[in-house]
Amino acid sequence: MKRTILFATLIITALAVCIFGQTPGKMSAKDEKAKDEVIALANAYFKASVKMDAEAMDRILSDDYVNIESSAAVGADTTYGIPINKDYLIRLFRSASPGGLRMTAIEMDEATKLVRVFGDTAVLVTKITLKWQGAREELARKYKFMPISDDSIVTLVAVKKNGTWQIVSTHQSEFKVESRITPNPN
């Protein structure tokens, strides 16, 4: 009996050292490759969003894709807060007027970009900045709606299907810093 308890204790201790003794943040070469592929996928997604490229979005997005955007500027003329699926987004891109409101770029902030890989699933979180064609004040007067902030926090979930990464979900929330809290030196 003592041998069994001793043996069980040794096994549990060995497993605890193996599981909890791992260095956090260390990625395997496979995970590093997946991370790079997901970042490239996110860049392709942002580029297709700027160009309103329906064909690229059809390849990039999974059939069960869903997007949620949240903003303080929710109104009757916006889709903020309403889940948007792949078909709706592609129809929106195909029906966009050439002279309408246009972004010129979506830039990912390198300092805030974080990718976590979990096998065939990956999560990317980053801050993005939207760049617009024209002066912001002029655009706001002309189009009645502009995001309150050009900065957003984006969470993108990608899944590897048949050897190819596709985006299954995105969430975007406007990011606006009202004031900074400074630590009390006392």
Side-chain angles (χ1 to χ4, degrees):
M1 183 68 162
K2 287 182 182 180
R3 262 191 202 172
T4 306
I5 293 173
L6 179 61
F7 185 69
T9 303
L10 287 173
I11 297 240
I12 291 171
T13 303
L15 284 173
V17 168
C18 290
I19 293 170
F20 297 114
Q22 294 180 2
T23 306
K26 289 275 187 180
M27 285 187 150
S28 67
K30 181 180 175 184
D31 287 348
E32 283 291 342
K33 181 180 181 219
K35 176 183 170 183
D36 293 341
E37 291 171 346
V38 170
I39 290 170
L41 179 68
N43 283 322
Y45 171 74
F46 294 137
K47 183 178 179 181
S49 295
V50 169
K51 291 185 174 186
M52 299 191 87
D53 186 343
E55 285 70 32
M57 280 299 191
D58 195 30
R59 287 187 310 274
I60 293 168
L61 302 178
S62 174
D63 289 337
D64 55 352
Y65 168 80
V66 66
N67 175 58
I68 298 284
E69 294 184 22
S70 60
S71 168
V74 175
D77 60 341
T78 70
T79 58
Y80 279 156
I82 299 170
I84 298 172
N85 64 26
K86 177 181 178 176
D87 294 333
Y88 178 83
L89 186 63
I90 289 173
R91 280 195 318 269
L92 182 72
F93 281 12
R94 287 188 175 137
S95 67
S97 65
L101 180 62
R102 291 283 186 215
M103 283 185 287
T104 57
I106 299 175
E107 297 174 354
M108 266 195 283
D109 180 27
E110 294 298 317
T112 62
K113 186 169 41 178
L114 172 68
V115 179
R116 300 291 303 260
V117 178
F118 307 96
D120 287 342
T121 303
V123 178
L124 177 140
V125 178
T126 189
K127 180 176 157 265
I128 63 169
T129 300
L130 308 176
K131 303 292 183 180
W132 299 95
Q133 181 178 349
R136 184 171 185 65
E137 295 78 23
E138 178 187 330
L139 293 171
R141 277 193 304 275
K142 183 176 180 182
Y143 293 103
K144 310 287 187 244
F145 170 78
M146 285 290 291
I148 290 172
S149 171
D150 288 334
D151 296 322
S152 295
I153 299 295
V154 173
T155 304
L156 180 148
V157 180
V159 175
K160 194 167 193 176
K161 297 178 180 181
N162 301 322
T164 304
W165 287 98
Q166 287 189 309
I167 299 170
V168 294
S169 178
T170 53
H171 177 268
Q172 182 174 329
S173 295
E174 286 186 358
F175 178 77
K176 185 175 181 182
V177 177
E178 299 273 336
S179 64
R180 300 223 181 248
I181 299 173
T182 55
N184 186 348
N186 296 328

